[in-house]
Amino acid sequence: MHKAVSGWMFWMMAALVLAVPMATATAQDRPRIGLVLGGGGARGLAHIGVLQVLAENHIPVDCIVGTSIGALVGGSYAAGQTPQSMSTLSGKTNWDALFSSGLPRQQMSYRQKQDDNMHLAPIDVGVRDDGSLALPKSAIETQKIATLLRDLTYGGTVKSFDDLSVPFRAIATDLETGEMVVMSDGDLVTAMRASMAVPGVFPPVARSQHLLVDGGLSRNLGVDVARKMCADVIIAVDVASPPLKRDGINTIFDVANQYTRLMIVQNQRPQIASLKPDDVLITPALGTLESTDFNKASDFIIAGEKAARQQLVQLQRYELSPAEYDKWEVARESKRLQPKPIDSIEVARTTRVNPDVLSRNVDVELGKDLDSGDFHDQLSHLYSRGDFSQLDYELLDDGAGQKLRLIPVEKDWGPNYLNFGIALGTDFENASPYALLARYRRTWLNSLGGEASVILRAGDTMALGGEFYQPLQIDGYAFVAPNFTVQSSPLALYDGNTQVGQFRLYKQQGGIDLGSTFSRYGEARIGFMAEHAHASPVVGGILASDANGQPGIIALPEIYQHDYGMRASLNYDQLDNADFPSSGTALQLSAYQAWGGGANTASYGRLSLLGKQAFSLGETNGYVMVKAQTTSHATDAVVDTAWMGGFLNLSSYPYQALLGDKFLYSRVTLYRPLPFLNTESRSTMLGLAAEAGKMDESTFDQSASKWHYSGVGFIAIESFLGPLYLGAAYGDNRQWRYYLTLGNPF
C-alpha cells in the first residue's frame, strides 16, 4: 500500500514538472530577455515574422541588439512599431525605387532630365583638380532609405537608446580599424543607417569619431552585446546567407559573394557557440530566397513565423499571462517615440557649394514639431539639384525639444565629372549609324553655381558642343548661357527606295541665351544666335533632263547658308520615364527669326515642336508623340534639314529616305512588360507602334509631298546604356525593314 501511494505521488509530481514549461512567468520572477537580430539583407525581413509570434504568445522583450537589417527591424520595434505595422509597410514599400540612387524622374531637376536624351551611362567619373580620377564610394545613395527610416521612427529621437520603448543597441563596424562599434545614443536613424551600410553598396556613415559601415563585418549576431546590456536569456535570430557550395562558385562575383558570406559566418560562429541551454536560436529556413529579394517580403515574414513556431515549446517558457503582457505592452506603447519641437538648427559646412543654397531651400519653423513630410519635400527639391550625394540630418534630443543638424554630403569625387555613352544600330541593309559620347562637366566655378560642360560625339555624325551655364542668383531662376555647336553629319539622297547620292552637312552655331529655370518642370530661353551650314556632295547625282530634254545625271551642287538672328525656346518635362513612360507630359517649342546673312536667307523664320503625352491602360503603357517643323525661307537653305526614315522615325523607310525642312510626324507607341523575362535590374517589354509622317518639298527632293505610314513591332530591354531594341517594320512603301539598336541612333 505504501509503495502504491508512493508511485501515485511520483506520477503526480512528474505531471506537474512536465506542465511547468506551459506555465506563465510572473513579471517579478521572470528572466530578462534579450532579442538579438542578425544581418542578412532582405532575409532579415523574417525578423518581423519572429516578432509576430513573440507578440501572439505574450513573450516580452527587455532589450534588442540589431545588426544591419536587424538594426532596421529592431530599431523600428524599439521606437514603438508593432510587428503588424512593419509587416504592412514592408508589403507596401516599392523596394526597387527605394534602392535606386536617383529620385523619381518627375522630381529631378530639368537639367538632369536633359541627360536622358543622350543615354549616358549613369556613372560619374570624377576628375579632381590635380588630374586624378575618382569614383563614388557607393553604388546606391540612401536618401530615400533615410526617409523611410524617419517614418519608421515617427520622426522622433531620444538622448539614450535605453529610453526607447525597448532599450536598443545597433552594431556597426569602424571602416578604418575593422573594430565593432556599439551605438547606444545619438540620432537613432543615423545609427540604423550606419549598421546597414554595406561597403560599396551604401555610403559609409560618419558618426562621432568613426566612419562606419555594416556591422555584419565585425559582429553579425551580437549575443555578447545583449548579455552585457541586459539579457539573462537570449533569443537569437540568424538570417545570414549560408556559404555557397563549390558548384555555385563560378564567376568573380560568386567569389566576392562567398568571401563576404564566409567573413560573416566566421564572426557569427563564436556567438552561436556561446548560447546556453536556456537560450533560443531561431534560424528561418529561407531556401532559395536571396538577400536581395526585398520584393518577396511576405515570403520572408512567413518563413520567420514558421521558424519561431518550431521553437514554440522553448519560447513559451518565457510567456507572460495575458494581463501581465498587456501591462508590458501598454508600458512599451507609452514610450513610443514622438516628435518634439525643433528649438535649434545647425548646418554643417560645405566645401564648394554655396551655403546659401541650403538656407534658401530649407525652411523649418522653430518652436514647433518638425513637419516630416514637408521637410523631406524640401530636401528632395534640394537633392534634385545634383550638388549633393546625400542630404543627411540628425535629430538630437536636448530635453524639452530637438536639435536639427543638417549634414549635406557633397560629391567628393568631383568637382569635374566625365560621363560616357554609346549608341549603335543597324537595319541589316545599308544603314548602321553609331555614336560614341563623352561629356565633361565642371561644377561650382563660382559662388552662384556656374557650370561649364563640353560634349563630344564621335561616329557617323561628328559633333562638339559646349555651354557655360551661369545662374544670375543663387536660386537659379535666371541664368545666362553662352553656347556653341560644331557638327558634321551624312545626308543620304534617295530616289524612291534607292540611294542615289550623299552629302556631308557641316553646321556651326554659336550664341548666348538669357533664361529662367522652373525647377523640375522646365525652362524658357531667349537669345542671339549665328549659324553657318555647308552641304558638300560626296557621291552621286540627280537624274534629270537637260535643256534639250535629254535625260542625264546632274552633279550634286555645293550649298551654303549663313545667317544670324534671335531664337526662343520653351521646354517642359514631367514624364516619369524618358523612354517608356506611363504618365506625364513633355513639350519642346522653339522659334528662330533670322535678321540677315547670306544670299536668299537674309530673313526667314523657323518654328519647331515636339510633344509627348504618356498614358497607362492597365498593364499596358504608352505615349502619343507629335513633332513638326516649318520654315519660311527660300529652298536653298540647309541648316534646318531634317529627315524621316529609320527606326521609330517612319521605320519602314530607309534611314534618311525623306529629307526636308518642313515636316509633320506622329506616333502612337504601346508596350507592356514580359514578366518572365524581367529581373530586378532591368525590364523587358513587348511593344507596337503606328507611325505617320509627311515631308514637304526640300532642297534635295522637289517631288510633291504626301503622307507615309509604318507599323512597328519590337522587343525592348531597358539597360543602363539606354534601351536595346529588336524590331520589325512594314509600311506604305510595301517593304519590310528590321532593326537592332542600342540607344537608337537613327
Side-chain angles (χ1 to χ4, degrees), residues 285-527:
L286 300 175
T288 59
L289 293 172
E290 296 290 342
S291 60
T292 55
D293 292 336
F294 282 92
N295 287 323
K296 299 178 181 178
S298 61
D299 294 337
F300 286 112
I301 294 172
I302 291 170
E305 292 178 2
K306 184 176 179 180
R309 290 197 172 96
Q310 288 173 346
Q311 300 291 335
L312 205 53
V313 172
Q314 287 181 283
L315 291 172
Q316 285 177 332
R317 292 178 295 180
Y318 311 115
E319 179 183 4
L320 292 177
S321 67
E324 287 179 320
Y325 184 82
D326 288 345
K327 183 178 179 181
W328 176 86
E329 183 62 45
V330 167
R332 190 181 84 89
E333 172 65 23
S334 69
K335 299 180 73 174
R336 193 186 83 175
L337 277 182
Q338 300 288 342
K340 292 182 179 180
I342 302 297
D343 52 22
S344 64
I345 300 174
E346 176 186 324
V347 180
R349 292 185 177 182
T350 54
T351 303
R352 292 186 301 271
V353 179
N354 190 329
D356 288 347
V357 169
L358 299 166
S359 62
R360 293 197 180 200
N361 286 276
V362 175
D363 183 20
V364 176
E365 189 172 354
L366 296 181
K368 292 189 176 181
D369 293 352
L370 182 67
D371 184 338
S372 295
D374 179 64
F375 184 60
H376 292 158
D377 286 344
Q378 294 178 37
L379 293 184
S380 293
H381 175 74
L382 187 55
Y383 183 74
S384 72
R385 292 174 53 99
D387 297 323
F388 305 100
S389 63
Q390 190 83 14
L391 278 169
D392 298 334
Y393 72 94
E394 293 182 340
L395 295 173
L396 304 175
D397 193 293
D398 58 8
Q402 293 177 336
K403 176 181 180 179
L404 172 63
R405 185 168 184 263
L406 183 60
I407 309 171
V409 181
E410 297 175 82
K411 294 180 175 179
D412 60 357
W413 60 96
N416 308 283
Y417 304 98
L418 289 173
N419 298 91
F420 301 94
I422 185 171
L424 305 169
T426 181
D427 65 358
F428 300 101
E429 292 186 23
N430 59 351
S432 297
Y434 70 97
L436 304 175
L437 302 171
R439 181 182 66 176
Y440 164 80
R441 288 188 305 130
R442 170 63 194 250
T443 60
W444 285 96
L445 288 165
N446 50 51
S447 61
L448 291 178
E451 178 179 309
S453 63
V454 177
I455 300 174
L456 174 66
R457 171 175 174 150
D460 55 336
T461 293
M462 305 291 293
L464 177 67
E467 179 180 80
F468 178 63
Y469 178 84
Q470 178 59 64
L472 299 180
Q473 66 253 84
I474 197 63
D475 56 24
Y477 287 124
F479 64 87
V480 63
N483 52 80
F484 76 93
T485 302
V486 179
Q487 179 175 315
S488 168
S489 58
L491 280 180
L493 185 61
Y494 276 83
D495 181 7
N497 291 313
T498 303
Q499 185 175 349
V500 297
Q502 187 178 64
F503 282 87
R504 193 76 188 176
L505 178 60
Y506 302 92
K507 294 198 298 185
Q508 302 89 39
Q509 293 179 333
I512 183 169
D513 293 332
L514 179 66
S516 179
T517 299
F518 311 122
S519 181
R520 62 180 181 267
Y521 298 104
E523 69 172 22
R525 295 189 179 212
I526 187 169

Side-chain angles (χ1 to χ4, degrees), residues 37 49 119 127 130 134 182 195 203-204 253 283-284 306 327 348 423 464 500 533 593 633 652 725 728:
L37 303 179
H119 291 126
V127 183
D130 62 5
V182 179
S195 183
F253 302 106
T283 306
K306 184 176 179 180
K327 183 178 179 181
L464 177 67
V500 297
Q593 179 61 51
H633 55 58
S652 68
Y725 292 99

Side-chain angles (χ1 to χ4, degrees), residues 39-41 43 220 238-244 257 261-262 264-265 289-291:
R43 296 164 65 92
N220 198 57
D238 172 20
V239 293
S241 298
L244 297 170
N257 185 11
R261 293 183 184 215
L262 291 174
I264 290 173
V265 168
L289 293 172
E290 296 290 342
S291 60

Side-chain angles (χ1 to χ4, degrees), residues 44-329:
L45 295 174
H47 295 319
I48 300 174
V50 173
L51 285 169
Q52 285 180 337
V53 173
L54 296 182
E56 290 169 4
N57 289 274
H58 302 156
I59 300 166
V61 175
D62 296 286
C63 60
I64 302 176
V65 175
T67 299
S68 195
I69 186 71
L72 188 153
V73 174
S76 301
Y77 186 73
Q81 293 284 347
T82 65
Q84 184 57 48
S85 65
M86 287 189 284
S87 177
T88 300
L89 183 60
S90 66
K92 290 165 46 179
T93 299
N94 184 337
W95 295 99
D96 289 338
L98 190 69
F99 290 125
S100 63
S101 288
L103 293 170
R105 188 176 185 275
Q106 291 165 317
Q107 296 181 22
M108 294 166 56
S109 70
Y110 176 73
R111 288 178 60 77
Q112 288 179 303
K113 292 174 186 174
Q114 290 177 294
D115 295 347
D116 293 336
N117 299 324
M118 294 183 284
H119 291 126
L120 295 170
I123 301 174
D124 283 336
V125 179
V127 183
R128 297 199 172 99
D129 288 335
D130 62 5
S132 62
L133 300 180
L135 290 171
K137 290 187 175 71
S138 64
I140 300 173
E141 303 300 338
T142 54
Q143 189 70 33
K144 290 177 285 189
I145 296 174
T147 300
L148 173 67
L149 297 182
R150 292 293 173 191
D151 292 338
L152 284 168
T153 55
Y154 302 103
T157 192
V158 287
K159 187 168 292 186
S160 167
F161 295 169
D162 288 337
D163 298 329
L164 293 166
S165 66
V166 178
F168 171 68
R169 297 291 184 271
I171 297 176
T173 303
D174 189 307
L175 185 57
E176 184 177 8
T177 66
E179 297 295 322
M180 175 181 69
V181 176
V182 179
M183 294 168 285
S184 61
D185 56 17
D187 181 58
L188 177 59
V189 166
T190 302
M192 294 161 73
R193 283 200 306 112
S195 183
M196 60 180 288
V198 178
V201 179
F202 300 125
V205 175
R207 193 175 190 270
S208 300
Q209 304 303 314
H210 303 284
L211 188 62
L212 301 177
V213 293
D214 194 288
L217 302 179
S218 56
R219 190 76 87 254
N220 198 57
L221 207 60
V223 173
D224 56 345
V225 177
R227 289 204 196 282
K228 184 178 179 181
M229 184 182 177
C230 85
D232 300 315
V233 169
I234 298 290
I235 299 175
V237 187
D238 172 20
V239 293
S241 298
L244 297 170
K245 300 297 183 182
R246 184 170 181 172
D247 59 2
I249 306 174
N250 301 308
T251 69
I252 187 174
F253 302 106
D254 294 334
V255 172
N257 185 11
Q258 180 76 336
Y259 176 81
T260 302
R261 293 183 184 215
L262 291 174
M263 183 165 41
I264 290 173
V265 168
Q266 291 295 334
N267 77 59
Q268 188 169 278
R269 280 175 180 164
Q271 299 299 309
I272 294 176
S274 72
L275 293 174
K276 301 174 182 179
D278 287 341
D279 299 329
V280 182
L281 175 64
I282 300 173
T283 306
L286 300 175
T288 59
L289 293 172
E290 296 290 342
S291 60
T292 55
D293 292 336
F294 282 92
N295 287 323
K296 299 178 181 178
S298 61
D299 294 337
F300 286 112
I301 294 172
I302 291 170
E305 292 178 2
K306 184 176 179 180
R309 290 197 172 96
Q310 288 173 346
Q311 300 291 335
L312 205 53
V313 172
Q314 287 181 283
L315 291 172
Q316 285 177 332
R317 292 178 295 180
Y318 311 115
E319 179 183 4
L320 292 177
S321 67
E324 287 179 320
Y325 184 82
D326 288 345
K327 183 178 179 181
W328 176 86
E329 183 62 45

Side-chain angles (χ1 to χ4, degrees), residues 724-743:
L724 176 65
Y725 292 99
L726 178 62
Y730 185 81
D732 67 307
N733 58 344
R734 300 182 183 278
Q735 285 195 345
W736 282 98
R737 199 162 298 277
Y738 305 95
Y739 294 95
L740 177 63
T741 79
L742 173 64

Side-chain angles (χ1 to χ4, degrees), residues 559 600-601 633-638 661-662 697-700 702:
I559 305 175
N600 298 324
T601 60
H633 55 58
T635 58
D636 62 350
V638 293
D661 50 24
K662 301 176 183 178
E697 63 182 31
S698 72
T699 302
F700 308 104
Q702 302 298 325

